[in-house]
Every structure is written in C-alpha cells, then in structure tokens.
C-alpha cells in the first residue's frame, strides 16, 4: 500500500465530496448527538483501517470515507431469507458507530426500513435504478429461488420474480455485495433437497459479486465491505469463495479465545459440565471453528459484546457454503473429519508439528533397530 494508492483514494474521496449528499448533518454531528466524541470516531476509524488491512496512515481516509458515505446510493434487495442480516445492523438499543454509518449511507431502497409499500415501493425502486444508473451499490440479502421460473419468490404489486428484480437491478449497479450466507451461497433455502432451487447471486449474475457470508454476518463485516467500495471504487481482495480476505482470511479456530484449551487437550464433553464452566474447548460438542473462515472472535456481535463460542456454543460454520448440510450435526464432531484429521486442513505450523512427530517416531525406531544390530552398544 503506497503513496500512489493513498493519492488515488484521496482523489476519489474528493470527487465523491462534490456529489450531493442526502444527509442534512455531517457524520460528526450525528455522532455527537448520539454521545460519541471526535476521538471515539477516530478510534473507530483506526480499528476499521486495521480490519481492512490498510496501513495506519490511511486512518484519516477511512474517516473521510465514512463522512462521504451519504453520497453513494445503495439499493438493498430482499430475496428468500429471514432478514437477520439487516437486523444484525439495525436491531440495536445503543447504536454503535457502525450502525450510525449504516444509517448515514444513502440507502435509496431497503424494504425493511422504508416507509413506502406496494405500488409506491416499486416506483421508488425503478426511480432509484434510473437516477443512479451506473453509480449505485447493490446489496442483496437472501437466496434466489430458480425452480419453476423463480415463482417461489415474487415481489411487489406486479408479482415479479425475485430473480427478475435482481437481474434488472444488477444491470446498472457499480458494485454488487451479497450480504449473508443466503445471497452468497443459497443459505438455508438451499439445504437439501433445495425444493425451490435457491442459489447465491453469483450463480445468476454475470458480474463480479463480493460475498459477505454469515447467518448473519457481523455489522463490522458489512460496513467494512461497503466502506472498502467507497474507498477504492472496486471490490477488495477475495478468497476462492469471493469473500473479502480482510474479514474471512483466517479460521475461527485460529483466532479463538478457547484455542489454548484445544491445544492442551481440555474439552467440554457435555454442555453444562465442569469443563464448560471453565470455558474449555467446544470441539467435542460440535464446534466447527477448525473448518470455518470468519473473524467473529475479533469483531463479535450485539454491540461487539459476544459471539457464539464466547456464549458457550460451538461455531456451526455459518459462513461456509452449504453449511446446513455439510456441518451438521451441529453438536457433534464431524464423522468424516474427526479430531485426529483436523491437521488435514490446518495451518502450516500445525502440519509442521505433525511432520516433526513422525520424524521423532522414525528416529526412535531407527535407534531401536541399531540397538538390536549392535547389542554390545
Ligand atoms: Fe440468510 Fe439474511 Fe441467515 Fe437470515 O437475510 S444469512 S437466513 S441470518 O437474514 O440472508
Ligand atoms: Fe475454539 Fe472451536 Fe477451535 Fe475449540 S474447536 S479452539 S472452541 S474454534
Ligand atoms: Fe457463524 Fe461460527 Fe461466527 S457459527 S457467527 S461463523 S462463530
């Protein structure tokens, strides 16, 4: 990340600043009203900069991106889902800075929180697509049913299929973000036998789509991805499943606060036993942290107070494709990937330990054979 990148972002933010914003107050004024000081805001910007894997010197740019976030129109579509992804951001009694920024974003269309309904809502969507063509960020929540011509999901007074609404809205989007496991990979609707033929957005839309999975994803991962698009005007570096590396680059198991207990072989055997009381590792009661890529232990949920493993239940792998089918049963270890085989998909250092152990055994065997050959020694 060098000076050229810094200047490129700076220029982009300057040009965004010139666009008309929808907010009648600056983000600093909004923060102040909610009891956050400028210092809190800069502290947040520093943490977000680190999360986006940018150098600390980019902190003022991240703060500026939040300040101009009301310039970039966002259209948010709901497909087949539970709305937990939106709730992850908006259902809060004490808003965090992430929530405030989400409220500040120029949300042109979002069915859960807008006042319009029926004909009016449909008009609003058409209007937003037309006025902001080529400029809006499209966020999609929910899987897209494809069987029977998509008729398992119809929207609005003309009963258009979700698939058609998505295709029409994706056409003129500047960037597309799949928010949640459903829009990323189909989600619970796609669980076997997937009666509606639900799929993720990228199976239908022939444009780059960034996946922010999790059922639901954390507010930090959603807002971080949107800010990344504001900063760079493009999608961030992604893994094989199109998940931003800054959020999904490591496994739950790599960042888990119970990892010391895993390494020491200290496991909860039953929910409610003494080991559970002592906060031991949840692997034997089904934790799928070793197979799941996400940053939940770092970013947490509910105003960053907790996350599944902290609350006492193992990770169920909710940010992985097809987790409803591949990670079940949720409270037992996976039969085909037992404790001893975890190393198969572990990091290089634990594989290193395994090789050393094998070498150790070979040395011992060699010594024993030598002793037989040279009994005098
Ligand atoms: Fe899916 Fe989001 Fe799970 Fe729910 O809508 S990722 S079912 S939390 O809400 O899409
Ligand atoms: Fe944490 Fe689960 Fe790994 Fe145990 S198995 S250390 S609880 S992620
Ligand atoms: Fe999901 Fe596991 Fe995080 S279940 S919320 S990825 S701890």
């Amino acid at each position: 990340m060098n000076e050229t990148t810094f200047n490129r972002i700076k220029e982009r933010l300057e040009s965004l600043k010139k666009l008309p914003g929808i907010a009648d107050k600056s983000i600093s004024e909004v923060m102040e009203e909610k009891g956050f000081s400028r210092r809190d805001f800069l502290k947040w910007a520093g943490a977000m900069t680190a999360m986006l894997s940018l150098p600390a010197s980019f902190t003022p740019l991240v703060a500026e991106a939040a300040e101009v976030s009301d310039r970039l129109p966002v259209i948010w579509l709901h497909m087949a889902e539970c709305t937990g992804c939106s709730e992850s951001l908006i259902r809060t009694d004490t808003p965090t800075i992430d929530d405030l920024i989400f409220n500040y974003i120029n949300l042109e269309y979002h069915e859960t929180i807008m006042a319009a309904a029926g004909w009016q809502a449909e008009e609003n969507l058409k209007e937003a697509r037309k006025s902001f063509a080529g400029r809006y960020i499209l966020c999609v929540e929910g899987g897209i049913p494809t069987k029977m011509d998509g008729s398992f999901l119809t929207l609005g007074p003309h009963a258009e299929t979700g698939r058609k609404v998505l295709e029409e809205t994706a056409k003129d989007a500047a960037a597309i973000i799949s928010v949640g496991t459903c829009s990323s990979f189909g989600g619970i609707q796609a669980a076997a036998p997937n009666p509606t033929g639900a799929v993720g957005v990228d199976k239908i839309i022939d444009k780059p789509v960034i996946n922010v999975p999790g059922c639901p994803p954390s507010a930090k991962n959603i807002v971080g991805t949107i800010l990344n698009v504001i900063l760079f005007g493009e999608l961030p570096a992604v893994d094989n499943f199109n998940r931003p590396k800054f959020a999904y680059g490591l496994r739950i198991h790599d960042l888990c606060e119970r990892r010391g207990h895993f390494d020491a072989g200290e496991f909860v055997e039953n929910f409610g036993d003494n080991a559970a009381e002592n906060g031991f590792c949840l692997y034997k009661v089904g934790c799928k942290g070793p197979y799941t890529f996400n940053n939940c232990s770092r970013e947490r949920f509910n105003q960053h107070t907790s996350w599944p493993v902290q609350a006492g239940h193992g990770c169920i792998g909710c940010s992985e494709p097809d987790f409803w089918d591949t990670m079940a049963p949720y409270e037992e270890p996976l039969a085909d990937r037992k404790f001893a085989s975890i190393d198969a998909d572990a990091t290089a250092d634990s594989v290193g330990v395994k090789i050393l152990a094998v070498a150790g055994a070979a040395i011992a065997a060699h010594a024993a054979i030598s002793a037989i050959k040279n009994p005098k020694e």
Side-chain angles (χ1 to χ4, degrees), residues 180 228 307 334 365:
N228 196 96
W307 67 293
L334 292 176

Side-chain angles (χ1 to χ4, degrees), residues 62-102:
V62 171
E64 260 181 62
E67 276 156 10
V68 300
S69 60
D70 69 328
R71 316 293 208 274
L72 220 58
V74 174
I75 296 181
W76 187 295
L77 293 180
H78 288 274
M79 299 283 138
E81 37 84 358
C82 78
T83 309
C85 306
S86 288
E87 298 278 339
S88 165
L89 273 164
I90 58 182
R91 178 70 68 176
T92 166
D93 52 356
T94 0
T96 59
I97 293 185
D98 296 304
D99 302 320
L100 293 179
I101 288 169
F102 182 69

